[in-house]
Amino acid sequence: MIKTLGLSKVFRTDEVETTALDKVSLEIKKGEFVAVMGPSGCGKSTLLNIIGLLDNPTSGEYYFNGIEVAGFKERKRTKLRKSNVGFVFQSFNLIDELTVFENVELPLLYLNMPSSERKEKVESVLERMQIAHRRKHFPQQLSGGQQQRVAICRAVVANPRLILADEPTGNLDSANGEEVLNLLQQLNDDGTTIIMVTHSPSDSEKADRIIHLFDGHIVTENIKKLL
Ligand code: ADP
Ligand code: MG
């Protein structure tokens, strides 16, 4: 499903140049649950953003379902992302002015789906994530755990094949974090490929495999030995 060869990302701002990813080669198969770990600033979010088609690499090859996408222009990349990828972030990133229902409906609006079909899909995912009773609430009226559940609904409502989660439990207490992980696990059991960045060793235990990043590289040893 995902294959990168020598993927690099260099950020250039005025006089500063940062190599966030340095020749990363990896392969992730359909249906895997992969955790990405490593110290702050080692390139985890950059890698996730490129894998999730939010950003382009500076160099290297990236195959998404067998298609080389590294050179895609933004419009083409965005189109591919919207029909294949769901994102979950640490800070939930819900829109405060929209209700729970409206937030979850957003990805379907981008796909130009008719209203009756949208309603059916949104209601079904809200039921599944046990948050349907809050459909008319606004994000600020919900607990952190509930907000993350809504964000997961929004990420999965269009049935993406790939879910990317960047520290999804980072702003949650352990009980809510556990619940969010269980939801991701359920989605993985149903066949969705999941890539999750986490700082938490207990979170990463849920994954089939852990990729350790250090200073823009993949390292095979446990990261703790390097620190
Ligand atoms: P992590 O998620 O592992 O904490 P990031 O992927 O966010 O790390 O960042 C990796 C490196 O790239 C850091 O040194 C960071 O400062 C730099 N970086 C990330 N995004 C940008 C950007 N948009 N512009 C400039 N530098 C960036
Ligand atoms: Mg990060």
Side-chain angles (χ1 to χ4, degrees):
M1 158 149 235
I2 298 287
K3 185 175 179 185
T4 74
L5 284 173
L7 201 74
S8 295
K9 180 73 178 180
V10 180
F11 291 107
R12 290 188 183 89
T13 44
D14 296 333
E15 281 138 48
V16 196
E17 198 175 279
T18 310
T19 303
L21 292 177
D22 192 6
K23 301 190 184 74
V24 171
S25 298
L26 59 80
E27 200 169 343
I28 294 171
K29 296 203 166 53
K30 188 173 178 300
E32 270 198 283
F33 188 162
V34 174
V36 179
M37 299 190 79
S40 186
C42 72
K44 303 182 296 297
S45 295
T46 304
L47 179 63
L48 216 63
N49 291 344
I50 293 175
I51 288 179
L53 306 164
L54 277 172
D55 202 358
N56 269 346
T58 315
S59 60
E61 296 163 47
Y62 176 24
Y63 298 89
F64 186 91
N65 287 328
I67 307 165
E68 158 64 292
V69 295
F72 270 26
K73 296 262 183 302
E74 186 166 351
R75 212 169 134 206
K76 209 169 163 193
R77 203 177 65 224
T78 303
K79 195 170 169 219
L80 192 64
R81 181 179 78 242
K82 289 195 165 151
S83 41
N84 288 284
V85 186
F87 260 99
V88 179
F89 299 95
Q90 175 175 357
S91 50
F92 320 135
N93 285 15
L94 297 172
I95 298 175
D96 289 339
E97 293 74 22
L98 299 182
T99 63
V100 163
F101 184 99
E102 290 163 343
N103 266 284
V104 176
E105 189 183 26
L106 272 182
L108 304 180
L109 290 172
Y110 289 121
L111 295 178
N112 293 322
M113 193 177 279
S115 149
S116 57
E117 202 178 327
R118 289 202 307 268
K119 185 163 190 297
E120 202 177 299
K121 284 203 185 282
V122 173
E123 288 298 342
S124 141
V125 77
L126 291 177
E127 288 289 341
R128 175 158 183 218
M129 300 293 166
Q130 296 174 18
I131 192 83
H133 58 301
R134 295 281 184 264
R135 60 169 72 70
K136 289 183 179 156
H137 284 59
F138 290 91
Q140 298 310 321
Q141 300 168 324
L142 303 176
S143 72
Q146 289 173 330
Q147 289 188 53
Q148 194 59 303
R149 243 186 292 162
V150 175
I152 291 177
C153 288
R154 184 185 53 186
V156 303
V157 72
N159 290 324
R161 303 188 220 185
L162 175 65
I163 299 278
L164 300 177
D166 198 348
E167 309 204 30
T169 64
N171 283 358
L172 301 176
D173 61 36
S174 61
N176 278 311
E178 181 73 17
E179 204 178 283
V180 161
L181 279 174
N182 287 337
L183 293 175
L184 292 174
Q185 181 87 65
Q186 269 179 37
L187 292 165
N188 181 242
D189 290 343
D190 293 347
T192 312
T193 309
I194 304 215
I195 309 176
M196 171 181 72
V197 168
T198 181
H199 268 118
S200 150
S202 67
D203 282 8
S204 66
E205 277 171 17
K206 298 263 183 200
D208 303 322
R209 180 154 70 101
I210 303 177
I211 292 175
H212 293 282
L213 271 186
F214 189 80
D215 210 6
H217 298 276
I218 291 184
V219 288
T220 45
E221 297 128 288
N222 192 310
I223 205 81
K224 287 198 182 106
K225 289 186 197 151
L226 293 165
L227 295 174

